[in-house]
Amino acid sequence: MDGLRKSRLNTPGKEHEAVPSDGKSGAVGVDPEQLWLRPTEPRRGRRPSFSREAITAAAVELADAEGLEVVTMRRVAAEVGAGVMSLYSYAPDKETLLNLMVDHVSGELTVTDPPSGDWRADLKTVAHLQRAHMLRHPWLPAALSTHRVPGPNTLAFLEHALAVLRPTGLDGASKLEIFAQITAFVAGYVTHEIAQAAASRAPDRAAAERRYLAAVAADGRHPELAEALSAPGRPLTPDATFARFLSRLIDGLDTG
């Protein structure tokens, strides 16, 4: 859980210099204390017409509609009707904005019921919640691969997952590793699921792929693959496939 380790601190007064003109994050990293523990200090003079919450929500809406690659400080500023330089006091670089976005949508992962005590069943529920969440926000798997600074909403869901794993008797480090493993599996599956959905909208390509695999299976050089492809089929809906993969992963976890 590298995200629980302290990031390097931003250098005071250098926020603007850390933001390249293309909106990508600088090398200074995100200060988690400044981001999550210290409230934004009120400014002198006229009250601003927007807030960090509004900026984050606009960035999320933009990413949901057009993808993470279009989320730049300049584009978000245009969405909220602000000058791009004025955004830097709320999010000094894109890395900070990305952390805000991830935690903002993590607020949707609310769990009201306490763990049942059946940790495998409860962990599967956690994974299903994560999958539905990532499908609502298709940019999340990519964002999570570089996300390092968990905010309050992210920590609340992590707290629930750790409570789910309490009956295992594992130490804290092992429980954190399992949560990271499940999250990585879900992110990878959703990435594949989204790509497959896009491919299915190109029937000619899908048909060509089937013909290719049939030819490979018949060439005599891949007997194991030929046998696997000739086996009776299983339900191939995304839901059914995800449930099978998830069961193999969670039911096979070693807690000894």
Side-chain angles (χ1 to χ4, degrees), residues 27-240:
V28 294
V30 175
D31 177 352
E33 292 179 316
Q34 182 65 45
L35 184 60
W36 303 121
L37 298 182
R38 300 173 190 166
T40 304
E41 296 182 1
R43 296 176 175 181
R44 297 177 180 177
R46 187 174 60 183
R47 184 175 182 177
S49 58
F50 46 89
S51 64
R52 191 170 79 171
E53 180 72 13
I55 292 166
T56 304
V60 167
E61 185 175 352
L62 190 58
D64 286 347
E66 301 183 42
L68 194 60
E69 63 277 2
V70 306
V71 179
T72 63
M73 303 296 281
R74 188 174 302 279
R75 181 71 186 275
V76 174
E79 293 293 319
V80 299
V84 65
M85 295 304 293
S86 66
L87 259 63
Y88 294 154
S89 60
Y90 296 92
D93 51 38
K94 188 174 178 180
E95 184 181 355
T96 300
L97 181 60
L98 190 59
N99 277 279
L100 291 169
M101 292 168 63
V102 170
D103 197 66
H104 178 85
V105 298
S106 292
E108 301 169 9
L109 288 168
T110 55
V111 182
T112 57
D113 296 329
S116 70
D118 182 345
W119 69 268
R120 292 185 191 275
D122 289 342
L123 194 57
K124 290 175 185 178
T125 298
V126 164
H128 280 285
L129 286 171
Q130 288 181 310
R131 174 178 172 245
H133 181 54
M134 293 182 200
L135 287 173
R136 285 194 302 272
H137 304 288
W139 52 271
L140 256 180
L144 290 173
S145 67
T146 57
H147 178 60
R148 296 175 56 84
V149 189
N153 292 323
T154 308
L155 290 174
F157 190 67
L158 173 60
E159 183 72 12
H160 172 74
L162 294 177
V164 161
L165 290 167
R166 177 169 287 279
T168 65
L170 292 169
D171 59 41
S174 296
K175 287 188 285 188
L176 288 171
E177 287 176 351
I178 287 176
F179 178 73
Q181 182 180 2
I182 296 300
T183 301
F185 161 72
V186 176
Y189 183 87
V190 169
T191 298
H192 174 75
E193 184 176 353
I194 292 171
Q196 288 296 104
S200 70
R201 293 191 287 271
D204 292 344
R205 174 183 166 185
E209 290 176 353
R210 288 193 295 271
R211 291 193 299 270
Y212 167 73
L213 286 176
V216 169
D219 66 11
R221 296 194 298 272
H222 306 88
E224 298 295 337
L225 176 61
E227 181 181 350
L229 292 176
S230 66
R234 296 180 177 180
L236 294 178
T237 65
D239 290 349

